[in-house]
Amino acid sequence: PGLLALALQQGRRDHIAFDFSGTFYTLGDLDRDSRQMAAGLSALGLKRGETVVSILDNSWEQIALLFACGHLGAVHVPVNTAYKGEFLRHQINDADAAIAIAESHYIERIVEIENDLQSLQSLVYRGEKPAAKFSRVELIGLDALAGDQSSFEPAEVTPGDLAMLIYTAGTTGPSKGCMVSHGYACNLSKQMAELNRMQAGDVVWTPLPGFHLNMVCVTLLATLRVGATASIYPRFSLSNFWPEVERSKATLISLLATPLMLITDAPDSDAMKRCYGQIRVAIGAPFPEPLVQKW
């Protein structure tokens, strides 16, 4: 919320801050939609310090939800969209969430574990109304969260207040929720913007998922900080990589190690040749010297 307020105070409401495969959103859109969603969540009973679980693909609503939680002083808990069964049950229960927001095509997974979910009361779906039936949990369409913000007053949050729970992979036991404060997220985004030499006018392209801190801090918050644009793709596609870089006019890309290697080993394409010199920084770890030379 602090970063958004700073950007709006500088008169940049019309700045195109987000690009979803050619659908663009401004800071003004973020302000309006996140406030509406916050008002809707408040009407559902969400209070300061409480958690909201999300099982969402990369989307505009995912971004609006993060800031809606910030407006309320609530805690955003984005869950890995591949999870089901015990993995999903553990994280929803551990987060102690009464409200969850999920894509329609993930709803059946929650129906299967409904009886084991201790706190969940309301499930908001994005997309078409699912055929799945719950015995106890209330099913609500995402449109219902477009609440009346005329009497809505955003909460005052401090740097030490909890912004997110980001769960670990659970390779050594049940996943643990990493407590990410507003100050931590903002400070990490500042470091990433400086480290990767981001500047106003840049376009940072990523297909990384919104349930990972990388996308939130390295792409989303860092671009807001410097006045750049975050271009967010649904998921990594080797065949669509260079066409997307060309379309988005990306100057920075944020990926992980395996896609970075796949890109360099793929055959040359016309789109790649047209993008020669366009990318100023490729972000990813690890980035060993042989991979640097290939790039």
Side-chain angles (χ1 to χ4, degrees), residues 147-189:
D148 179 10
Q149 55 175 311
S150 59
S151 59
F152 171 72
E153 289 293 334
E156 292 288 336
V157 297
T158 70
D161 286 339
L162 197 60
M164 291 177 283
L165 290 178
I166 302 288
Y167 276 83
T168 63
T171 52
T172 59
S175 298
K176 294 167 283 293
C178 299
M179 300 168 69
V180 180
S181 68
H182 284 268
Y184 182 92
C186 290
N187 191 51
L188 180 57
S189 73

Side-chain angles (χ1 to χ4, degrees), residues 179-237:
M179 300 168 69
V180 180
S181 68
H182 284 268
Y184 182 92
C186 290
N187 191 51
L188 180 57
S189 73
K190 179 176 183 289
Q191 293 178 17
M192 291 297 103
E194 292 174 352
L195 176 68
N196 296 302
R197 293 167 285 177
M198 294 181 187
Q199 57 195 28
D202 272 331
V203 176
V204 183
W205 184 90
T206 189
L208 297 181
F211 56 78
H212 198 287
L213 195 62
N214 187 305
M215 197 270 265
V216 174
C217 290
V218 178
T219 301
L220 174 61
L221 295 181
T223 55
L224 282 176
R225 177 178 289 280
V226 302
T229 297
S231 183
I232 301 171
Y233 199 60
R235 61 186 57 83
F236 178 70
S237 165

Side-chain angles (χ1 to χ4, degrees), residues 42-288:
S42 180
L44 279 182
L46 184 66
K47 297 180 177 60
R48 182 188 185 94
E50 294 181 340
T51 53
V52 179
V53 161
S54 69
I55 313 170
L56 293 170
D57 298 327
N58 285 356
S59 63
W60 171 242
E61 290 79 8
Q62 186 182 54
I63 305 302
L65 175 60
L66 171 64
F67 283 88
C69 288
H71 285 314
L72 292 170
V75 183
H76 185 211
V77 188
V79 171
N80 190 322
T81 55
Y83 282 174
K84 58 182 70 174
E86 175 59 21
F87 289 94
L88 184 58
R89 184 210 63 79
H90 166 71
Q91 293 194 6
I92 295 176
N93 277 346
D94 189 70
D96 195 30
I99 301 172
I101 301 178
E103 304 285 349
S104 291
H105 49 266
Y106 298 137
I107 297 297
E108 188 62 43
R109 301 179 188 179
I110 304 174
V111 172
E112 293 173 356
I113 58 173
E114 179 190 14
N115 294 334
D116 298 319
L117 300 177
Q118 302 160 359
S119 303
L120 189 64
Q121 299 174 9
S122 302
L123 179 59
V124 181
Y125 62 88
R126 176 178 180 268
E128 295 184 3
K129 184 174 182 178
K133 301 293 183 182
F134 288 90
S135 60
R136 175 182 55 82
V137 174
E138 181 184 16
L139 195 60
I140 304 167
L142 186 63
D143 290 346
L145 292 191
D148 179 10
Q149 55 175 311
S150 59
S151 59
F152 171 72
E153 289 293 334
E156 292 288 336
V157 297
T158 70
D161 286 339
L162 197 60
M164 291 177 283
L165 290 178
I166 302 288
Y167 276 83
T168 63
T171 52
T172 59
S175 298
K176 294 167 283 293
C178 299
M179 300 168 69
V180 180
S181 68
H182 284 268
Y184 182 92
C186 290
N187 191 51
L188 180 57
S189 73
K190 179 176 183 289
Q191 293 178 17
M192 291 297 103
E194 292 174 352
L195 176 68
N196 296 302
R197 293 167 285 177
M198 294 181 187
Q199 57 195 28
D202 272 331
V203 176
V204 183
W205 184 90
T206 189
L208 297 181
F211 56 78
H212 198 287
L213 195 62
N214 187 305
M215 197 270 265
V216 174
C217 290
V218 178
T219 301
L220 174 61
L221 295 181
T223 55
L224 282 176
R225 177 178 289 280
V226 302
T229 297
S231 183
I232 301 171
Y233 199 60
R235 61 186 57 83
F236 178 70
S237 165
L238 183 58
S239 61
N240 287 337
F241 173 75
W242 287 112
E244 258 297 295
V245 168
E246 183 178 25
R247 180 204 64 78
S248 65
K249 299 180 174 59
T251 51
L252 291 86
I253 58 166
S254 180
L255 287 164
L256 297 177
T258 300
L260 288 166
M261 290 186 288
L262 291 172
I263 291 165
T264 57
D265 291 339
D268 290 356
S269 68
D270 290 339
M272 184 202 75
K273 294 173 183 177
R274 288 193 296 269
C275 292
Y276 184 78
Q278 179 180 316
I279 297 174
R280 196 175 77 252
V281 180
I283 307 165
F287 224 122

Side-chain angles (χ1 to χ4, degrees), residues 4-53:
L4 177 61
L6 176 63
L8 295 175
Q9 287 169 7
Q10 293 174 344
R12 304 203 326 259
R13 290 187 67 93
D14 293 336
H15 168 62
I16 296 176
F18 309 95
D19 167 19
F20 287 87
S21 301
T23 300
F24 301 97
Y25 297 90
T26 66
L27 285 172
D29 293 330
L30 178 61
D31 185 38
R32 179 198 65 230
D33 291 357
S34 62
R35 285 175 178 268
Q36 284 185 342
M37 190 175 288
L41 288 168
S42 180
L44 279 182
L46 184 66
K47 297 180 177 60
R48 182 188 185 94
E50 294 181 340
T51 53
V52 179
V53 161

